[in-house]
Amino acid sequence: MNERARLNALRGGIVLIGAAGMIGQLLLIRVLMVVFYGNELSLGIVITGWLLFEAAGAYLGGRGTWFRRAGPALFVGLLLLYAVALPAVIVLARLAGGDLFRLVPGQAMGLGHMALTAVLTTLPAALLHGSLFPLSAQMLGGAAGASSTSRAYLIEIVGAIGGGLVFVFALAPHFTALQVAVGLLVLHLALVAWLLRTLRGSGAGRALWPAVALAAVLALALAPALAGRLHRFSVRGLWPEGEVTEYVNTPYGNVAVLEREGEHAVFYDGRPIISLPHPDTARLQDYAWLAALSHPRPERVLALGGGLGGLLSFLLEHPLEELVYTELDPHLPEVVRRLDAPVVRRELADPRTRIVTRDGRLYLNRTRRRFDLIVLGDIDIETLQANRFFTEEFFRLARGRLTEGGVLAFSLPGSLTYLGGELGRLNACIYHTAGRVFEHVLLIPGDHNIMLASEAPLHMTAQQAARRLEERDLMRGMFTGGYLAYRLEPDRIARFTAVLEEIEAAPNRDFRPAGLFYGLRYWGRAFAPRTLDLLAWLGGVPLYWHLAGALLLAAAAWRVFFRSPAAGANRLTYTVGTSGVAAMSFDLFTLFAFQSLFGYVYQLTGLFIAAFMGG
């Protein structure tokens, strides 16, 4: 076999290394986004872990004499190991979100579990992949007759960029993570057969390549069945409490349906959002009816996300003329429609309902229509995607789309007994932020606090609400005069409002998401109290300790960069390291900014990382 054929095979292998590394990283990011409940801050943990272990692998591959001496045999072996490790760590990631740590659906991971999961899943694949680069550079240099580290890196980056683009636009919309991973395994087997046939050291290589080629053909034939079995096993491990009947990846997120004893729970990015056919009717009716009763005659109503499966149904019980409902992900209404629950059938069949499959903020920004009532759906502030509906910028946008006397309604976690600590800071943050935009903000305390914001005075009394219910012929069920008097008790409203007024909290902005910070602290108190206590302790360290630490760091830097025998090399290392920190920080900040403004970074993460690698 001539030299050109060997060189072409090696170049093809390096391109596949780059593409497979990029795709493997993106697959893990998507899978772990679901395991971590869509928390975008987990992107930093996963990307950091991947790059750290890639660097460790490259160090081992470049510094180990035995590593370099093994040459082609080890290169081929590591290629196959990476191809096998990738589907294995995807399965492991899903098991870590359920069976492995004994988590149940709805129980979020703490920071420690998130970090451990990221290490367990990124270490095997990234370490193996990182070790391939120095070997490929060494082999390319030998084949080309010159030192070719930069050339190998360029070829790998071309593969990485191509892999990112192919993943975003061709693979992610149509295939599951394990279908893509098993497909990469088949490609690696084919590449290994090609390499064994062409690379030097030939006797064993030429003898083995037909067997590897046959294995690649068999793997291709068995790939669909293998990918399907691994997918079903892993999602069953992620949600062990029932049967997963739907699992759909979309450009905007992940939709899954879990069935147990006739009850269907719909999950979005791992978070439970809808329960059918029996939703939490008491809470949803309370929110929808009190929001509708805040306006004397709500004719045109806009609901933004989180409304299917109950909220829309209760809003439609009022004499509306039109109910516009926005949903970012067009696949979610389709999945919910297929469950054929009576409440959803009523919502979608009502002629007053108009579904708009567009991001709620984008719809508000582009429409020139005005509404009597804007209702935020059932949304918890635990991600940037959700936080963007509670910022000062959003409130200003909503105010401009309300009619005269129009009302914006939203809900937050609450309590009828105590509104302090993390819960109080979260509510105070959003209450004060709304107050910076609207002339009047009314709090209705409860297990879920309801907040109403308007430019017009909000005098929500039990007598007024009862009168409106009677006018609409809706005085029935739990909504009685006694319930309204209890729910709208003036003393309790005044007492809880006074508590919020006294709590100091930063305003919530798009690019300063204080609401997300307080929301994570609130949920952290429930799911990871030890981590929260540690962060609170660190936040309470006196100023003089910070100053002492800064002085120690300054003294160490002076010793390392100016007094050390290797001061020049240390300064160069520091410069390279800080430039890497700056570049990665810029990449993550761009991702977070995009999510804050547009809300669907789930699939486009690959585009950002590919562009970063291209630079």
Side-chain angles (χ1 to χ4, degrees), residues 154-412:
L154 178 61
I155 296 172
E156 184 181 1
I157 289 301
V158 169
I161 297 170
L165 296 176
V166 169
F167 178 81
V168 170
F169 296 111
L171 300 179
H174 305 294
F175 301 99
T176 67
L178 283 163
Q179 285 174 330
V180 175
V182 172
L184 285 176
L185 173 59
V186 175
L187 283 177
H188 278 72
L189 284 169
L191 171 68
V192 166
W194 186 18
L195 287 170
L196 287 175
R197 188 166 181 264
T198 60
L199 289 175
R200 287 177 181 164
S202 19
R206 284 199 297 266
L208 284 174
W209 83 262
V212 178
L214 178 61
V217 172
L218 289 175
L220 179 62
L222 297 174
L226 176 62
R229 284 181 177 273
L230 288 175
H231 175 75
R232 289 189 292 273
F233 170 74
S234 61
V235 297
R236 203 162 46 238
L238 179 57
W239 290 294
E241 301 297 315
E243 179 185 357
V244 179
T245 59
E246 293 261 8
Y247 188 92
V248 182
N249 278 316
T250 79
Y252 309 99
N254 174 271
V255 186
V257 179
L258 186 66
E259 190 273 333
R260 183 181 182 186
E261 298 179 358
E263 192 76 16
H264 292 88
V266 181
F267 292 80
Y268 199 83
D269 284 348
R271 300 188 309 276
I273 59 170
I274 304 171
S275 181
L276 297 171
H278 304 107
D280 188 354
T281 52
R283 182 173 62 84
L284 293 173
Q285 183 182 14
D286 179 78
Y287 177 36
W289 279 29
L290 288 175
L293 291 172
S294 68
H295 193 280
R297 188 177 175 81
E299 296 177 347
R300 293 181 300 279
V301 176
L302 173 64
L304 301 176
L308 289 171
L311 184 63
L312 297 186
S313 178
F314 288 118
L315 285 172
L316 288 166
E317 291 181 351
H318 293 259
L320 315 179
E321 291 184 2
E322 182 185 28
L323 174 59
V324 179
Y325 174 64
T326 66
E327 183 60 65
L328 170 65
D329 195 332
H331 294 80
L332 181 59
E334 292 303 316
V335 169
V336 174
R337 190 195 305 269
R338 286 197 291 270
L339 297 178
D340 200 31
V343 62
V344 176
R345 284 202 305 269
R346 289 196 303 270
E347 292 170 343
L348 300 181
D350 195 300
R352 297 170 294 171
T353 302
R354 185 164 73 90
I355 306 292
V356 178
T357 52
R358 184 181 295 173
D359 172 61
R361 276 189 63 158
L362 180 62
Y363 176 80
L364 275 178
N365 192 44
R366 293 187 174 180
T367 188
R368 290 296 172 261
R369 301 189 60 195
R370 293 179 178 268
F371 299 90
D372 303 312
L373 177 65
I374 298 177
V375 181
L376 290 185
D378 195 14
I379 304 172
D380 287 325
I381 309 179
E382 51 188 7
T383 65
L384 283 170
Q385 187 179 51
N387 182 75
R388 54 199 292 274
F389 288 98
F390 297 88
T391 62
E392 183 176 334
E393 292 83 356
F394 170 78
F395 289 147
R396 293 190 186 280
L397 182 59
R399 184 185 63 182
R401 298 296 178 265
L402 288 171
T403 58
E404 185 177 353
V407 178
L408 169 69
F410 54 92
S411 69
L412 294 169

Side-chain angles (χ1 to χ4, degrees), residues 491-575:
D491 289 343
R492 182 168 62 240
I493 290 176
R495 185 170 68 254
F496 277 82
T497 301
V499 170
L500 290 187
E501 293 283 0
E502 292 175 0
I503 297 176
E504 293 186 5
N508 193 25
R509 305 291 302 275
D510 280 345
F511 296 138
R512 192 181 179 187
L516 173 63
F517 172 71
Y518 294 125
L520 290 176
R521 289 186 60 173
Y522 168 69
W523 289 106
R525 178 61 65 190
F527 295 116
R530 292 181 181 176
T531 302
L532 191 62
D533 291 339
L534 174 62
L535 293 176
W537 178 81
L538 290 173
V541 173
L543 178 61
Y544 58 82
W545 282 109
H546 290 285
L547 294 175
L551 289 174
L552 286 175
L553 283 175
W558 180 78
R559 176 72 178 83
V560 170
F561 297 137
F562 296 100
R563 305 299 297 174
S564 168
N570 290 340
R571 288 197 292 270
L572 180 61
T573 301
Y574 174 78
T575 302

Side-chain angles (χ1 to χ4, degrees), residues 440-452:
H440 303 277
V441 180
L442 175 66
L443 165 71
I444 303 177
D447 291 333
H448 274 73
N449 291 334
I450 297 173
M451 292 193 188
L452 306 170

Side-chain angles (χ1 to χ4, degrees), residues 107-137:
Q107 180 180 355
M109 278 191 182
L111 183 60
H113 279 167
M114 289 175 65
L116 178 59
T117 301
V119 169
L120 289 176
T121 52
T122 57
L123 188 151
L127 195 68
L128 289 168
H129 186 265
S131 64
L132 287 168
F133 173 73
L135 280 175
S136 65

Side-chain angles (χ1 to χ4, degrees), residues 18-19 22-23 26 157-173 603-614:
M22 174 63 72
I23 293 173
L26 296 177
I157 289 301
V158 169
I161 297 170
L165 296 176
V166 169
F167 178 81
V168 170
F169 296 111
L171 300 179
Q603 182 168 314
L604 294 180
T605 303
L607 207 56
F608 282 97
I609 296 179
F612 175 75
M613 297 301 292

Side-chain angles (χ1 to χ4, degrees), residues 26-34 167 172 249-250 602-603:
L26 296 177
L27 286 175
L28 269 179
I29 286 174
R30 282 165 64 93
V31 169
L32 288 173
M33 279 279 283
V34 176
F167 178 81
N249 278 316
T250 79
Y602 181 71
Q603 182 168 314

